[in-house]
Amino acid sequence: MAENICDSLRRHAGDWALYEQAKDCALDYMRTVQDRPVFPAPAAIAALAAFREPLPDAPADPRDLLATLHRLGSPATVAQTGGRYFGFVNGGIIPAALAAKWLGDAWDQNAGLYVISPVASVLEEVCENWLVDLLGLPAGTAAGFVSGTSNASLCGLAAGRDFLLNRKGWDVGSRGLFGAPELRVVLGAGAHSTVYKALSILGLGKDRLIKVPVDNQGRMLADKLPPLDDNTLLILQAGNVSTGSFDPFAAILPRARAAGAWVHVDGAFGLWAAASPALRPLTAGLELADSWSVDAHKTLNAPYDNGIVLCRHRDALVRAMSMTGAYIVYSENRDGMNFTADMSRRARAVELWASLKALGRSGAAGLVEDLCRKARLFAAALQNADFRILNDVCFNQVLVACRDEALTKKTLENLQQSGECWCGPTQWQGETVIRISVCSYRTTDEDIERSVRAFVKARDDSAHA
Ligand SMILES: *Cc1c(COP(=O)(O)O)cnc(C)c1O
């Protein structure tokens, strides 16, 4: 007779060789990642078809399925931890954070409540304090630990919406938005698409926003701001996803505060500039905002998924996110679910704590500064090779184009197929261009030289095609 499933799972739980096998696969991957094609080869992608089977009837042997995952899955990954991945704004993984994540995975803690996981609660509290200190935010600022900036912006904007309406005597939590006083939502024309998504989920509408014109780097023009008032939700940006530029916080925030507006800053990757004394001028004035969103899985190089919502008004965030239930036991300690939309949640503060501890204050500054130095190096080398650089490289993003758009597109296609490095396209001022994000500590100066050679070859091959 077949073994009872729970009996067999209990047997596997003590199968130490299974976990050793996982460790061996992971180490094999990590040892070879720098030699893998940066984007998987067509054959590796085609082999993924083997995953597409009907749901099996019978349980699979865990060692077999792990072997399958490594055999089919590893070659079809994007080698973004290897040093020559410059797509989107994807960070590398700090070694200590990866190792801590493995231990945290074995713990499998639920970070919802102190009573479910004291260690998760304490690590969240420590990370909250460290982030406020590192980023120069107001004392008492609250942090919620979420999957990424999309989610963090949703939480920060929900807190702002509820705060503004509460001040007008309107409790959104109980009455919803039906018949509520109108809010004005003001944002820059260069705002990230996830901000629009958050606004639409929150019932604030994507099509009734007031868009402020921006300059040629995507920075909001402070003198084009409409009048602000205490019905205004204003969204600013630290780090434009194309150019890396920062809105002029010092010119805007004092006005916004005086008017009683709520200001949210999308700082997905750029907020980390505040961790560096050299780069902090880019974020000057940012501490006057009401809420901020930031990703640890970008510039800080924590593993996915790791985003943080920060809110000056602890009560407003908790009011927007809290819930009650007969079995919920709030404590005197930090209960993580009060600061996020989730109830059950993995303890991602484990990796965040490990990242911050592994870097320290000086390491965080050094990491961000080195990413920016490498972005400038990349831009200079490409310019020397007759590529056009379209942005002021003030942070870690570089916009690149060839002589004409057709050549740019063909060059990018060749580059992506080369396996040498990977960059994505973006639309910049009506033109399709190549976007580089230097976001991993793993990238060396040699990686940049090798990538520049790949750019040149990709362009030569296009021109001769
Ligand atoms: C990446 C990014 C986001 C979205 O963050 P996720 O972590 O992918 O949810 C939002 N805004 C900016 C500026 C970004 O760079």
Side-chain angles (χ1 to χ4, degrees), residues 89 147-151 192 194 237 239 241 266 268-269 295 297-298:
V89 191
S147 52
T149 287
S150 305
N151 197 318
H192 195 267
T194 51
Q237 183 164 260
V241 80
D266 173 1
F269 65 96
D295 274 325
H297 59 227
K298 289 180 176 166

Side-chain angles (χ1 to χ4, degrees), residues 375-387 389 448-449 452 456:
R376 290 194 300 273
L377 183 71
F378 212 147
L382 285 169
Q383 199 152 31
N384 272 338
D386 282 332
F387 285 90
I389 302 300
I448 289 171
E449 286 161 25
V452 170
V456 170

Side-chain angles (χ1 to χ4, degrees), residues 259-314:
W262 178 287
V263 183
H264 179 81
V265 177
D266 173 1
F269 65 96
L271 204 69
W272 298 107
S276 148
L279 294 161
R280 202 169 293 145
L282 292 168
T283 65
L286 166 140
E287 67 286 353
L288 295 172
D290 298 283
S291 55
W292 304 263
S293 39
V294 63
D295 274 325
H297 59 227
K298 289 180 176 166
T299 321
L300 195 71
N301 283 231
Y304 286 104
D305 45 10
N306 215 312
I308 307 119
V309 56
L310 294 146
C311 186
R312 167 195 295 277
H313 315 270
R314 183 171 292 267

Side-chain angles (χ1 to χ4, degrees), residues 183-228:
L183 294 181
R184 300 161 75 235
V185 182
V186 179
L187 79 184
H192 195 267
S193 48
T194 51
V195 169
Y196 290 87
K197 183 170 173 173
L199 291 169
S200 78
I201 294 173
L202 291 169
L204 296 171
K206 280 192 286 208
D207 294 338
R208 55 182 292 290
L209 311 170
I210 303 170
K211 286 193 207 172
V212 185
V214 293
D215 69 10
N216 67 357
Q217 300 298 311
R219 283 180 293 240
M220 187 182 276
L221 291 165
D223 58 1
K224 293 283 196 291
L225 259 186
L228 304 172

